[in-house]
């Protein structure tokens, strides 16, 4: 297990970002786990511009494989009175592998107040619950999981508690992005007993709170696909804290090699 803070603490600064190494235990196949790439990219974006407001949205493209030594850089595209648009790229020896647009925006006074529709009450894992941790050498070894199969009965639906085994020393938003992609693609369930490769292509995440917090490190993740044809799946995603408060809402495009 390699904590994210260790990856960041050993990084070497470069103009606009840093160079670091993707440990082998954060790989999924031949590329870095997408949540780790997003966490590193956000860390670089947070450092490019002083006094950034709250992260509101991320638009991510998984362009190519990332492994080994990588360079993570961020560029300010525009900063206005209320919002800042920061682009972050990750490049490896194979070339550009990741690009994200992060939108930081301050809260605004508003007469609109609509909330409650996304709240979900599910008890977090008990202290004596039997948890799953992935094998060494695969990114899931950095997490604890508890699947809620009875509460996700759909043909292409997941519901899972997840936490980083070590989330110390990282920004809460960085932790959320590192967690928010920790489910298998929802369409994976459709493969049954004949597994095949799947890969996320794009990911849109909207952050619903300026200061994400939870208890005991637990976050509830959901993913569901209602449309998977011609080698592609469109899925919706959610992340809640341990009290059922919605933290992030997302959508992914997934390619299926089957």
């Amino acid at each position: 297990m390699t904590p994210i803070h260790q990856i960041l603490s050993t990084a070497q600064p470069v103009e606009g970002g840093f160079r670091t190494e993707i440990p082998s235990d954060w790989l999924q196949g031949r590329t870095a786990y997408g949540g780790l790439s997003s966490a590193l990219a956000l860390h670089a974006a947070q450092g490019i511009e002083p006094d950034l407001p709250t992260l509101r949205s991320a638009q991510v493209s998984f362009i190519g494989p990332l492994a080994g030594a990588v360079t993570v850089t961020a560029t300010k595209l525009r900063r206005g009175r209320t919002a800042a648009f920061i682009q972050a790229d990750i490049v490896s020896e194979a070339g550009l592998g990741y690009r994200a647009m992060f939108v930081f925006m301050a809260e605004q006074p508003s007469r609109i107040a609509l909330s409650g529709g996304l709240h979900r009450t599910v008890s977090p894992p008990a202290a004596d619950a039997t948890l799953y941790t992935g094998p060494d050498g695969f990114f899931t070894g950095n997490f604890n999981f508890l699947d809620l199969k009875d509460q996700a009965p759909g043909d292409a639906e997941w519901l899972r508690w997840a936490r980083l085994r070590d989330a110390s020393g990282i920004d809460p938003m960085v932790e959320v992005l590192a967690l928010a992609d920790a489910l298998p693609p929802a369409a994976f369930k459709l493969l049954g007993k004949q597994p095949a490769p799947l890969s996320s292509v794009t990911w849109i995440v909207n952050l619903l709170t300026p200061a994400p917090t939870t208890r005991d490190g637990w976050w509830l993740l959901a993913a569901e696909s209602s449309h998977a044809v011609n080698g592609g799946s469109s899925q919706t995603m959610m992340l809640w804290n341990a009290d059922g408060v919605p933290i992030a809402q997302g959508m992914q495009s997934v390619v299926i090699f089957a």
Side-chain angles (χ1 to χ4, degrees):
M1 180 190 73
T2 306
I4 294 175
H5 71 80
Q6 182 176 320
I7 300 172
L8 295 174
S9 66
T10 57
Q12 300 298 311
V14 300
E15 184 176 356
F18 55 88
R19 289 194 185 96
T20 192
E21 190 89 12
I22 302 293
S24 60
D25 62 1
W26 276 103
L27 295 178
Q28 49 178 6
R30 63 194 184 104
T31 191
Y33 158 61
L36 175 68
S37 299
S38 297
L40 299 180
L42 176 58
H43 182 76
Q46 290 173 328
I48 199 68
E49 181 76 0
D51 304 320
L52 282 170
T54 300
L55 178 66
R56 287 293 187 91
S57 184
Q59 302 166 43
V60 172
S61 293
F62 299 106
I63 298 167
L66 291 171
V70 296
T71 301
V72 188
T73 56
T75 306
K76 180 180 73 172
L77 301 181
R78 183 183 185 276
R79 183 165 186 177
R81 288 179 295 177
T82 60
F85 291 78
I86 310 292
Q87 177 178 297
D89 291 342
I90 306 180
V91 176
S92 71
E93 189 176 78
L96 179 65
Y98 176 102
R99 173 164 288 174
M101 174 85 73
F102 295 110
V103 183
F104 300 85
M105 189 166 62
E107 293 186 292
Q108 303 296 314
S110 177
R111 60 187 177 87
I112 302 299
L114 175 65
S115 64
L118 295 177
H119 196 281
R120 184 160 190 171
T121 304
V122 180
S123 297
D128 60 350
T130 300
L131 307 176
Y132 171 75
T133 297
D136 294 338
F138 193 64
F139 82 95
T140 53
N142 293 280
F143 297 89
N144 296 139
F145 296 118
L146 180 66
D147 278 349
L148 304 177
K149 296 180 180 179
D150 292 342
Q151 299 183 54
D155 291 337
E157 180 183 7
W158 292 94
L159 189 64
R160 170 183 288 181
W161 285 103
R163 70 180 177 189
L164 285 166
R165 292 174 63 190
D166 186 346
S168 62
I170 59 175
D171 181 90
M173 283 294 187
V174 171
E175 179 184 356
V176 164
L177 281 196
L179 263 297
D181 192 31
L183 282 173
F188 185 82
K189 278 191 170 182
L190 300 173
L191 297 173
K193 295 182 179 180
Q194 295 181 306
L198 296 89
S199 181
S200 300
V201 180
T202 59
W203 184 26
I204 299 172
V205 190
N206 292 326
L207 287 306
L208 308 179
T209 176
T213 60
T214 194
R215 290 183 285 112
D216 298 324
W218 286 115
W219 307 88
L220 181 64
L221 310 179
E224 183 174 10
S225 176
S226 299
H227 190 83
V229 298
N230 299 323
S233 170
S234 177
Q235 68 177 39
T236 56
M237 306 164 76
M238 280 293 303
L239 181 146
W240 298 265
N241 71 6
D243 296 314
V245 177
I247 302 297
Q249 187 175 34
M251 191 171 189
Q252 272 191 358
S253 174
V254 177
V255 62
I256 306 170
F257 297 98

